[in-house]
Amino acid sequence: MNIHATDTIAALITGQGTSAIGQIRISGPDSLNISNAIFKGQNLNKVSSHSLHFGKIVQSDGHILDEVLVSVFRSPHSYTGEDVVEISCHGSLYILQEVLNLIYSNGIRPAEAGEFTRRAWLNGKMDLSQAEAVADLIASETKASHLLAINQLKGGIRNEIAELRAILLDFSALIELELDFSEEDVEFADRGKLSNLLDQISDKVTVLLDSFRLGNAVRNGVQTVIAGRPNAGKSTLLNALLGENRALVSDIPGTTRDTVEEKLNIDGVLFHFVDTAGLREARDQVEAMGIARSYEKIKEAAIVLYVYDVQNTNFNELETDILDLNVDPESIIMVANKSDLISEANKPETEIAFLKSISPIHISAKNEEGISELKKSILMKVLGNQSIQEDSIAINARHRTALESALQEIIQTKKALLTGLTTDLVAQQLKTVLYHLGLVSGEITNDQILGHIFGKFCIGK
Ligand SMILES: Nc1nc2c(ncn2[C@@H]2O[C@H](COP(=O)(O)OP(=O)(O)OP(=O)(O)O)[C@@H](O)[C@H]2O)c(=O)[nH]1
Ligand SMILES: [Mg+2]
């Protein structure tokens, strides 16, 4: 066990704001001594690990601040791996601040954002991908994001590559050994086996890279913009999707001027829906500003629901409108609205050349018909043929950068092996592959990566 920290830190670990109970965590070598100095009850220096004690927090002049419960965790069996004391107070902002002040006046310093988890990582309690999972778990808002976070916390991502990386490390050591015997022209590392191993790793890395799109959508939500001409029924559609009257609807074209944004959870995946101002030649300055904003949102969207009035649409116009959106056709879902106004037999097929393969979803936003089919196709756009299962894992943007570099290096190493490059060059290549794979779980790290990961935490985690 590495205990790196010599100082003791403390912070509020429950939410800011009045609540029934608020909890303060103290971690580090002085946590028991200092808690004992402000706690009237059992001698905390003498109690066993994982025990709970009732008592009072008392200021130096004898004034009682609160009646509390104190939990004691002794190193290394705690979240951080250090001695940890957690004080459960009544959740008054005044009490919590005063107890913290008392702790800080005894020489303990406030914990920085993510510092408890950073210490947990330093003390070998978790790897970096698991530390990231703690942040994801706290941020999870849907079943899917929760599942991905839990699987990553269980070591899902590390386990995918750790074993193969370990074998590669052995190969790397053998090749280094060959360098020591370079004059004798010996070959300890079987080049055929090494090449197979590299293939296995690259297969695994490719599967992981494929999981990024899904992971990103599930963790961060999917920006979905509802666009179209004025009066197409965009706001009516937003309301139908949400099941509430969120946006103003009227038969006056140009009703929506600013964007209206709402979150919606569809089968465990979070979507950020944005209703926008109808796209047309603006009639006044404010409408022009609204339309400019519509285009900004369309540019940022992962999915565009292009809504048109199925009864009143000329298909040539529709084609120009879609081209004007200037987005990847793959991200568009065509929504033929107001289907209630035409008979089944008259439902026209869209004949837009580059969208030919995409058939529109016919809905009536007003009568809430076709909404569940539309939701299904929105979900399909995100998940494709993937689905969130009990054991699903998905990488994040940091893992992706590292794994993409690893894949490039694997390709170079394979080339080096095929072209019979010198042993020292192969050794060098292998080190680079190992480096990039090691970044994912944190065997290899640097200050920039750590700052990036732990800076995303809130204070107290
Ligand atoms: N018959 C019928 N009318 C609809 C349907 N959807 C919307 N409407 C009507 O069409 C008109 C325009 O609806 P909105 O939802 O305000 O249209 P919009 O696209 O948001 O319009 P702007 O905000 O002006 O761009 C309203 O009178 C709605 O009641 C539908 O499915 N069927
Ligand atoms: Mg509208």
Side-chain angles (χ1 to χ4, degrees):
M1 183 64 47
N2 300 306
I3 304 290
H4 291 252
T6 52
D7 57 351
T8 301
I9 54 175
L12 182 68
I13 58 172
T14 43
Q16 300 281 350
T18 307
S19 57
I21 302 290
Q23 233 176 3
I24 290 165
R25 177 184 287 153
I26 311 174
S27 179
D30 285 333
S31 50
L32 284 162
N33 269 337
I34 302 234
S35 310
N36 207 34
I38 62 169
F39 178 72
K40 211 169 168 200
Q42 288 231 39
N43 182 346
L44 297 177
N45 276 316
K46 297 200 171 146
V47 303
S48 53
S49 184
H50 293 70
S51 58
L52 195 62
H53 308 278
F54 176 74
K56 296 180 179 71
I57 297 291
V58 185
Q59 287 173 317
S60 52
D61 60 2
H63 180 72
I64 295 171
L65 271 177
D66 198 9
E67 288 193 333
V68 299
L69 273 177
V70 167
S71 329
V72 172
F73 306 91
R74 290 184 182 273
S75 172
H77 303 294
S78 69
Y79 180 71
T80 59
E82 304 173 326
D83 280 344
V84 167
V85 174
E86 286 174 6
I87 307 174
S88 299
C89 311
H90 291 103
S92 126
L93 288 178
Y94 173 75
I95 293 177
L96 293 165
Q97 198 50 57
E98 284 302 304
V99 175
L100 275 171
N101 287 342
L102 192 57
I103 292 167
Y104 298 149
S105 68
N106 276 280
I108 289 179
R109 78 169 164 80
E112 290 165 18
E115 199 171 4
F116 292 120
T117 308
R118 190 179 186 131
R119 288 187 175 196
W121 168 69
L122 279 170
N123 291 328
K125 288 273 159 184
M126 56 179 79
D127 72 16
L128 269 195
S129 68
Q130 289 171 305
E132 286 170 308
V134 172
D136 286 349
L137 200 60
I138 294 169
S140 66
E141 288 186 65
T142 59
K143 188 173 175 188
S145 56
H146 174 256
L147 196 60
L148 290 184
I150 280 286
N151 288 341
Q152 190 170 326
L153 191 65
K154 288 192 300 197
I157 289 185
R158 180 199 50 210
N159 296 345
E160 285 295 303
I161 40 180
E163 200 181 319
L164 293 172
R165 185 175 184 273
I167 306 173
L168 193 61
L169 205 56
D170 290 343
F171 266 102
S172 174
L174 288 176
I175 288 193
E176 295 283 331
L177 203 60
E178 285 177 16
L179 289 176
D180 291 344
F181 290 87
S182 55
E183 272 142 44
E184 294 165 38
D185 198 22
V186 285
E187 208 174 86
F188 296 121
D190 182 323
R191 299 299 193 263
K193 282 188 184 156
L194 175 57
S195 177
N196 283 344
L197 176 66
L198 288 170
D199 286 342
Q200 274 184 56
I201 297 176
S202 93
D203 288 351
K204 193 63 100 181
V205 168
T206 308
V207 171
L208 284 173
L209 283 171
D210 284 345
S211 71
F212 171 72
R213 216 175 98 85
L214 176 64
N216 194 41
V218 167
R219 286 191 186 95
N220 302 327
V222 186
Q223 188 82 355
T224 307
V225 171
I226 307 175
R229 290 199 165 216
N231 252 1
K234 301 178 294 299
S235 303
T236 313
L237 173 58
L238 177 76
N239 293 343
L241 284 163
L242 297 173
E244 64 173 280
N245 277 331
R246 173 66 181 84
L248 287 177
V249 166
S250 89
D251 57 3
I252 306 163
T255 304
T256 306
R257 298 206 138 197
D258 205 347
T259 50
V260 179
E261 310 199 6
E262 275 302 327
K263 291 183 196 174
L264 180 68
N265 176 342
I266 304 179
D267 278 3
V269 180
L270 192 69
F271 289 84
H272 298 280
F273 280 99
V274 186
D275 177 25
T276 58
L279 304 171
R280 67 169 172 188
E281 210 51 61
R283 306 287 149 97
D284 61 58
Q285 208 188 343
V286 180
E287 187 177 17
M289 287 157 72
I291 292 175
R293 188 162 285 188
S294 302
Y295 278 112
E296 275 169 33
K297 291 291 174 184
I298 290 167
K299 214 161 82 184
E300 293 165 5
I303 298 177
V304 177
L305 300 184
Y306 191 83
V307 185
Y308 60 98
D309 178 339
V310 73
Q311 196 193 29
N312 276 323
T313 300
N314 158 323
F315 286 109
N316 292 330
E317 240 174 44
L318 189 58
E319 177 155 16
T320 333
D321 287 352
I322 301 281
L323 283 169
D324 283 349
L325 295 178
N326 205 9
V327 294
D328 174 6
E330 278 289 306
S331 66
I332 300 174
I333 296 179
M334 298 293 289
V335 183
N337 190 31
K338 310 198 185 182
S339 292
D340 53 294
L341 299 179
I342 51 166
S343 67
E344 197 61 33
N346 287 336
K347 275 186 184 170
E349 283 306 317
T350 39
E351 296 191 4
I352 299 171
F354 75 100
L355 288 179
K356 223 166 194 167
S357 58
I358 310 173
S359 49
I361 314 277
H362 287 265
I363 66 160
S364 165
K366 193 173 172 179
N367 298 343
E368 301 190 9
E369 285 162 13
I371 302 299
S372 57
E373 287 77 4
L374 179 59
K375 283 186 179 170
K376 263 186 216 143
S377 65
I378 294 172
L379 202 57
M380 266 299 286
K381 272 265 180 246
V382 177
L383 300 180
N385 50 14
Q386 294 176 301
S387 62
I388 307 276
Q389 286 155 357
E390 274 308 308
D391 58 351
S392 286
I393 53 169
I395 59 168
N396 64 25
R398 188 186 71 79
H399 306 145
R400 180 174 66 160
T401 310
L403 291 175
E404 274 174 347
S405 307
L407 199 57
Q408 288 308 316
E409 295 302 334
I410 290 170
I411 293 167
Q412 293 306 321
T413 316
K414 289 271 299 179
K415 268 194 201 146
L417 285 175
L418 277 174
T419 51
L421 276 189
T422 54
T423 308
D424 54 343
L425 283 175
V426 174
Q428 198 51 46
Q429 276 296 146
L430 283 185
K431 273 193 192 151
T432 330
V433 175
L434 284 165
Y435 170 83
H436 290 296
L437 291 178
L439 286 174
V440 174
S441 52
E443 278 103 341
I444 311 277
T445 191
N446 60 45
D447 281 348
Q448 200 188 352
I449 293 177
L450 295 180
H452 175 76
I453 293 174
F454 293 106
K456 281 199 295 195
F457 279 80
C458 44
I459 301 274
K461 197 61 230 173

